[in-house]
Amino acid sequence: MTVTALWGTQRKWLLAEPDFRRLWLIGLVVFSVRWLEMLAVAVFAYQQTGSPLIVALLTMLRMLPMALFGAPIGAAAERIERRTALVIVMFSMLLCSIALALLAWTGSLEVWHLALASLFSGIIWTTDNPVRRTMIGEVVGSERMSAAMSIDVGANNASRMLGPTVGGILLATLGIGGAFVVSVAGYLVAVAVAVRVRHRNAAAPASGTSVLERMIEGLMLVHSDRRLSGIMVITVIYNTFGWPFTSMIPVIGQDDLGLGPAGIGLLASMDGVGAFGGAIVIALYAKPRHFARLFVGGVAIYLAMLPVFALASYPLLAGSVLLLTGLANAGFSIMQATLVYLSAPAEMRSRVFGVLSVCIGIGMIGFLHLGWLAGLIGAPWAIVTTGVEGLLVLLLTRRWWRAIGV
């Protein structure tokens, strides 16, 4: 039986796997809380400081740990039992949200508190690929990894509808304290579900190879494998020139479209609506021969939509464009993890996912660049500029990513 046929016949049984359901639910909860917090933090910080640069920096701090610690965490993840690591990670985020909720409700919350929390959240975020998503692959097998990632990214995209909408409503009614109370509730659920995961992996036996050496082996594999190199190049382009624009949605919504917190939350959720729909279509119809085109084409369409969003004069038009960026993002984000998992040797997957985290983290440069531009020429023209830059870089790096199979 071919890989295509096997993938098509087995994907329907994914949700019958209890551990896949648990890992998927953890992802849904964590993603929802993440998007809720990112919107709440951005709106709160902009109201307190009036600085687009500060808003971009707070989002950038969530990515900084990926660039700094992605490779070592990916190498170290092979030495730990992943279910134990997952429980520790979820419990750590619960404690962080409890601290922020207490600060908010006592009126003591400051922007620097949010900066520290964003940095800590970024460290936790760095573990997702080498821990939770690698566990998903181990539970469902390589043949069903694309379908599993479609469902998992679908959860992420559903959370991008739910998180910003709920966050905007909470900010408008209960303030940022209400948003962090919901975060606490979400992480309580995630901890309870993580404890029930049954899958255990055999941690790599202790050897003379250090974490640093294993990390270097992962980097050298990516460098020598043209397919993996191409995946990483596209990932850097998306995270440097594409994704940072989401940090400016609250700024555009408030200053250019005249929206309040609830309206900003609804606008921000449109990207998630489009991505959720895209994830469903990909899960149902995408075949292995489509994977590379969905990955690269998704980034190209995403970048092309940025100038259109930035110059939109009406909330309805801006929301419609965000639906399209969401559809494009679904192709990129689903295939990113899928292609890495399928392209890397089984014994190197955690290390390669660590390198992927580094490439995602490099996107922090894009947040700095966008925030700096927004301070000079305003948020709309800053987004236009980064979108055009991204398309140019995509064209100039064609020889690196052609090996993916486009």
Side-chain angles (χ1 to χ4, degrees), residues 50-67:
S51 170
L53 179 59
I54 294 296
V55 174
L57 285 173
L58 286 171
T59 308
M60 181 273 291
L61 284 172
R62 290 180 181 262
M63 301 186 71
L64 179 61
M66 288 193 176

Side-chain angles (χ1 to χ4, degrees), residues 286-312:
K287 302 294 189 296
R289 66 177 181 273
H290 302 139
F291 291 176
R293 292 177 183 175
L294 286 167
F295 181 59
V296 178
V299 175
I301 295 170
Y302 192 96
L303 292 169
M305 289 297 102
L306 299 195
V308 184
F309 168 77
L311 300 178

Side-chain angles (χ1 to χ4, degrees), residues 160 238 241-246 249 271 296-307 321-322 324-330 332 387 391:
R160 287 162 63 190
Y238 170 82
F241 299 102
W243 191 51
F245 102 95
T246 58
I249 292 176
D271 183 63
V296 178
V299 175
I301 295 170
Y302 192 96
L303 292 169
M305 289 297 102
L306 299 195
V321 174
L322 288 179
L324 294 178
T325 64
L327 284 168
N329 174 265
F332 164 78
L391 288 170

Side-chain angles (χ1 to χ4, degrees), residues 277-357:
I280 292 173
V281 172
I282 290 171
L284 292 175
Y285 299 111
K287 302 294 189 296
R289 66 177 181 273
H290 302 139
F291 291 176
R293 292 177 183 175
L294 286 167
F295 181 59
V296 178
V299 175
I301 295 170
Y302 192 96
L303 292 169
M305 289 297 102
L306 299 195
V308 184
F309 168 77
L311 300 178
S313 302
Y314 304 101
L316 182 60
L317 176 59
S320 299
V321 174
L322 288 179
L323 283 171
L324 294 178
T325 64
L327 284 168
N329 174 265
F332 164 78
S333 54
I334 290 169
M335 294 310 154
Q336 180 190 60
T338 300
L339 290 171
V340 168
Y341 191 90
L342 296 177
S343 301
E347 69 278 6
M348 297 282 284
R349 279 175 183 146
S350 287
R351 278 173 270 185
V352 175
F353 270 124
V355 177
L356 178 67
S357 294

Side-chain angles (χ1 to χ4, degrees), residues 254-272:
Q254 179 173 312
D255 290 354
D256 295 271
L257 300 176
L259 301 175
I264 292 171
L266 183 60
L267 177 68
S269 72
M270 290 298 102
D271 183 63

